Amino acid sequence: MVQGQIAEELARLREHVVGVTDSAVAASDGMLVASDIQGGRPHALAALAAASLGLGKRTGDETGLGPLREVVTRCQGGYAVVYAVGMEALLVVLGDEGMDTAALRRESRLTVERVGSLLEVTAAG
């Protein structure tokens, strides 16, 4: 049931941010929780996003820059952005080259909060 609610949040993010093509939520160990991926390999994306999240967290710790907010990878064809969702999960968003990054920053905060709340309810239950 929670997976469906999380998938709805991911679909909402795609609908509200121009250029978002795919997204997923995974545990910090890379296990897929839910996805809004039109094609491709959601399990592989979850695992890669977890590795990126781990490196980003470690970089923040080592450099003293504080808690991780996001890891952005910009490629020729677009973006892959990874956000920490609490201490145990992540949100990964893929977007094309024309993705509205300002809208993504704004909307992703809301998505991270809502997904985090859904995951907390599941953990508590």
Side-chain angles (χ1 to χ4, degrees):
M1 177 156 169
V2 171
Q3 287 177 325
Q5 291 173 303
I6 292 172
E8 288 174 13
E9 289 295 332
L10 298 177
R12 188 196 65 73
L13 182 64
R14 181 175 30 84
E15 292 166 3
H16 284 87
V17 180
V18 171
V20 168
T21 58
D22 302 287
S23 60
V25 171
S28 57
D29 66 0
M31 295 299 294
L32 184 66
V33 173
S35 70
D36 180 41
I37 295 180
Q38 309 306 309
R41 300 173 26 209
H43 294 281
L45 178 61
L48 290 168
S52 180
L53 179 76
L55 287 171
K57 284 183 175 182
R58 181 73 178 122
T59 300
D61 290 344
E62 190 64 33
T63 59
L65 292 173
L68 179 72
R69 289 190 183 174
E70 64 191 40
V71 175
V72 179
T73 303
R74 186 171 182 206
C75 301
Q76 184 175 357
Y79 298 85
V81 185
V82 181
Y83 301 92
V85 178
M87 297 300 293
E88 301 296 324
L90 64 89
L91 165 67
V92 57
V93 179
L94 302 182
D96 60 28
E97 187 64 26
M99 184 172 65
D100 184 345
T101 56
L104 177 64
R105 280 206 171 92
R106 186 176 54 253
E107 293 294 328
S108 64
R109 287 186 197 120
L110 299 171
T111 303
V112 165
E113 288 175 16
R114 288 192 286 262
V115 167
S117 294
L118 289 167
L119 292 173
E120 284 177 11
V121 168
T122 300

